[in-house]
Amino acid sequence: MASNMYLVRQRISRLGQRMSGFQININPLKEPLGFIKVLEWIASIFTFATCGGFKGKTEILVHCPPANDNKTITATFGYPFRLNQVSFETPPNVNVCDINWKSNYLIGDYSSSAQFYVTFAVFVFLYCIAALLLYVGYTNLYRESRKLPMIDFVVTLVVTFLWLVSTSAWAKALTDIKVATGPSIVQQLEPCEKKGAMTCYFGSMTSMGSLNVSVIFGFVNMILWGGNAWFVYKETSLHSPSNTSAPHNQGGIPPPAGI
């Protein structure tokens, strides 16, 4: 037990000595391993910014006879897209057909897909910072270690797969959001189903171009991480076996005896 504790302390001491040797070396950024990691870092920022910062609204025009003008009701929604908690509102001090429109909500809850997508992008953003710090500040520690490149390689594969899963789920949710906030909402509002009492028309909906961009960046991230897996793999012992496994003799000459 004492010997095991001594070995653990010795390894921690060696690791502490290596970590204390922080020295900036920008050469890894000139190589695909570091350069692609910078691109992944930038792409992750655009991913969670374009999705998490979205705010939009959908408007419906309501005609109340015998008046000849149309009045507008608005539902304002955004991230994390819990549409079933978004109610319609009327302009201040405006009575629209004597109906309490705040009791009418949009349909659908897409927060799980949206939050998973944004949260995952934030974690990737933080991991890229940590990886770049390791590449640039502890280049020798990364290159000499067997475990760090292997951990980096496994994480790269997992992140690539999760980009595919999260982006596909968010793309499907975005399609449903467009339907739930589009012209079909007119047929889903209970007051608008009363024929003769009023007439409802779909007015407008905020453009979701930034959300489309977020989906594109999701697939861009997947491609970047998938491509970078090869360059991370080259740093592992799977691609570059340890020198201890190399033959002891070169050129077929046996080692001298008696040494």
Side-chain angles (χ1 to χ4, degrees):
M1 183 66 180
S3 61
N4 292 336
M5 292 296 297
Y6 174 76
L7 292 175
V8 171
R9 291 176 181 176
Q10 192 176 32
R11 291 179 180 178
I12 294 176
S13 177
R14 291 176 181 174
L15 180 60
Q17 292 176 358
R18 292 181 180 180
M19 294 299 293
S20 63
F22 179 83
Q23 186 175 3
I24 296 179
N25 180 12
I26 63 172
N27 287 330
L29 299 181
K30 301 177 183 179
E31 302 174 3
L33 179 68
F35 179 72
I36 297 178
K37 189 66 68 181
V38 173
L39 296 181
E40 293 169 349
W41 177 68
I42 296 175
S44 65
I45 296 176
F46 281 99
T47 300
F48 64 75
T50 52
C51 180
F54 179 83
K55 290 289 183 181
K57 64 180 180 180
T58 183
E59 296 181 344
I60 294 179
L61 304 178
V62 181
H63 176 72
C64 306
N68 293 323
D69 60 331
N70 293 327
K71 297 179 180 179
T72 304
I73 59 173
T74 304
T76 303
F77 60 94
Y79 178 83
F81 304 101
R82 293 189 178 95
L83 302 185
N84 56 350
Q85 298 180 7
V86 177
S87 62
F88 284 88
E89 297 181 356
T90 61
N93 302 321
V94 175
N95 183 9
V96 181
C97 302
D98 295 325
I99 293 178
N100 181 19
W101 290 98
K102 289 186 177 181
S103 61
N104 294 272
Y105 297 83
L106 295 175
I107 299 175
D109 183 358
Y110 307 97
S111 59
S112 59
S113 297
Q115 288 180 319
F116 174 64
Y117 187 66
V118 171
T119 302
F120 176 64
V122 172
F123 276 116
V124 170
F125 166 78
L126 297 176
Y127 178 79
C128 287
I129 294 178
L132 287 172
L133 181 63
L134 181 62
Y135 294 166
V136 175
Y138 301 96
T139 306
N140 293 333
L141 176 62
Y142 182 82
R143 293 282 168 83
E144 294 174 1
S145 174
R146 294 173 59 105
K147 294 182 179 180
L148 290 178
M150 184 62 67
I151 294 174
D152 194 16
F153 177 61
V154 173
V155 171
T156 301
L157 294 179
V158 173
V159 170
T160 302
F161 174 73
L162 290 180
W163 270 125
L164 174 62
V165 174
S166 62
T167 304
S168 300
W170 169 233
K172 176 60 171 61
L174 178 57
T175 301
D176 295 337
I177 291 171
K178 292 179 180 179
V179 174
T181 57
S184 62
I185 190 63
V186 175
Q187 288 77 29
Q188 298 172 353
L189 283 174
E190 183 178 351
C192 295
E193 295 178 352
K194 299 178 181 179
K195 297 181 179 180
M198 69 183 72
T199 307
C200 299
Y201 306 94
F202 179 75
S204 64
M205 180 180 65
T206 303
S207 173
M208 296 187 182
S210 63
L211 297 182
N212 294 332
V213 171
S214 71
V215 173
I216 294 175
F217 270 107
F219 287 111
V220 168
N221 274 288
M222 183 191 68
I223 295 173
L224 286 174
W225 282 85
N228 197 31
W230 165 249
F231 298 102
V232 178
Y233 169 77
K234 290 175 65 177
E235 300 293 331
T236 65
S237 58
L238 299 176
H239 182 267
S240 302
S242 175
N243 292 332
T244 57
S245 62
H248 294 286
N249 53 345
Q250 299 293 334
I253 302 177
I259 297 181

